[in-house]
Amino acid sequence: MAATTLEDKAIWENEEEALGEDVLRMSTDEIVSRTRLLDNEIRIMKSEVMRISHELQAQKEKIKENAEKIKVNKTLPYLVSNVIELLDMNPEDEEEEGANVDLDSQRKGKSAVIKTSTRQTYFLPVIGLVEPSEMVPGDLVGVNKDSYLILEKLPAEFDSRVKAMEVDERPTEQYSDIGGLDKQIQEVR
C-alpha cells in the first residue's frame, strides 16, 4: 500500500466541496485560527509517528536480543529430562488482605513436572519453548541446565542412553555387603 501525503488529490476529492463551503462562510481570523489548529495537530501527529517508530525499533531490538538468548540457550549443553506430569493451573480466587501473593500460584494455563537425568524432580510453572499440547507424560525433553525451562522435545533414540544411566530405585545393597577391598583398605591405613 502506497503512503498518501497531504498533496495527494485522492484524499481531498470527496471533502473538497464541503470544505469549500465551510471556508467561504468563515472570516479571515477564523481561517487563520483553524489553520493554526490544523498545523498544531499535524505537529502532534508527526511527533506521535516518531514516538511509535522509535518504540517499534526498540521492540525489534528487544526481539532480536531475545532470539539471540534463545539461540545461545539452545546451543549450550542442556539436561535431558522426562516429563512426569502436565498440570492445568487455575488460580484460586481466595485472597487474604495484606497477604503475600505467590505469582506462580496465580498463573493460568499449563505447567509441568519433570525429572532430570540427575534424578531431581522439578515443578515448572512456566513450561518453556515447547507447546504443552505437543507433550505427554513420559516424553523426553531437553531443559536448560540453570532455569530448567523446556527448550525442545527430544526424539525417542535419546531414551536408551538416558535410561541406562538413570536409577529408578534406590539400591538395597550397602557398601559393607560388597567385599574384596580389605587388602587395599589395610594398605591405606
Side-chain angles (χ1 to χ4, degrees):
M1 182 174 137
T4 58
T5 62
L6 293 176
E7 290 80 26
D8 289 343
K9 286 191 173 188
I11 65 172
W12 299 108
E13 284 177 3
N14 296 334
E15 300 289 325
E16 194 171 317
E17 293 170 9
L19 186 63
E21 292 174 14
D22 286 346
V23 171
L24 290 175
R25 284 190 222 131
M26 292 181 176
S27 68
T28 307
D29 291 337
E30 288 174 331
I31 293 173
V32 169
S33 74
R34 188 160 180 188
T35 304
R36 285 186 183 140
L37 285 173
L38 289 173
D39 286 341
N40 192 30
E41 284 183 32
I42 290 171
R43 246 183 274 117
I44 291 170
M45 287 182 187
K46 283 182 180 180
S47 68
E48 187 72 12
V49 167
M50 290 296 289
R51 184 190 65 77
I52 290 173
S53 66
H54 286 299
E55 190 174 310
L56 176 66
Q57 187 63 31
Q59 290 296 328
K60 284 181 178 180
E61 288 174 13
K62 196 179 277 189
I63 288 170
K64 187 177 178 182
E65 277 179 28
N66 288 338
E68 283 295 317
K69 286 179 184 177
I70 289 172
K71 185 178 176 184
V72 166
N73 280 334
K74 280 187 160 187
T75 58
L76 291 175
Y78 48 78
L79 290 174
V80 177
S81 302
N82 285 314
V83 176
I84 303 296
E85 192 172 356
L86 293 169
L87 306 168
D88 284 318
M89 296 291 290
N90 292 323
E92 297 173 10
D93 293 334
E94 298 176 19
E95 283 191 28
E96 297 177 21
E97 282 296 316
N100 288 340
V101 177
D102 181 12
L103 293 178
D104 287 338
S105 69
Q106 297 300 313
R107 292 188 195 278
K108 288 185 178 180
K110 292 275 191 175
S111 60
V113 177
I114 60 167
K115 183 177 181 183
T116 65
S117 56
T118 58
R119 292 178 278 164
Q120 296 170 322
T121 304
Y122 291 100
F123 169 73
L124 303 176
V126 177
I127 291 182
L129 301 179
V130 179
E131 287 295 320
S133 59
E134 297 176 11
M135 293 187 293
V136 294
D139 277 351
L140 212 57
V141 292
V143 299
N144 181 291
K145 65 181 186 295
D146 298 323
S147 65
Y148 299 103
L149 291 177
I150 298 175
L151 298 176
E152 66 180 307
K153 189 173 170 182
L154 299 175
E157 58 260 15
F158 278 76
D159 203 17
S160 61
R161 293 182 229 159
V162 173
K163 289 291 183 191
M165 295 187 298
E166 194 174 86
V167 178
D168 292 329
E169 295 179 15
R170 186 178 206 145
T172 57
E173 295 83 15
Q174 299 290 323
Y175 283 106
S176 59
D177 296 341
I178 303 170
L181 293 178
D182 293 333
K183 183 179 176 184
Q184 286 84 353
I185 292 173
Q186 288 301 323
E187 287 177 7
V188 171
R189 289 184 184 174

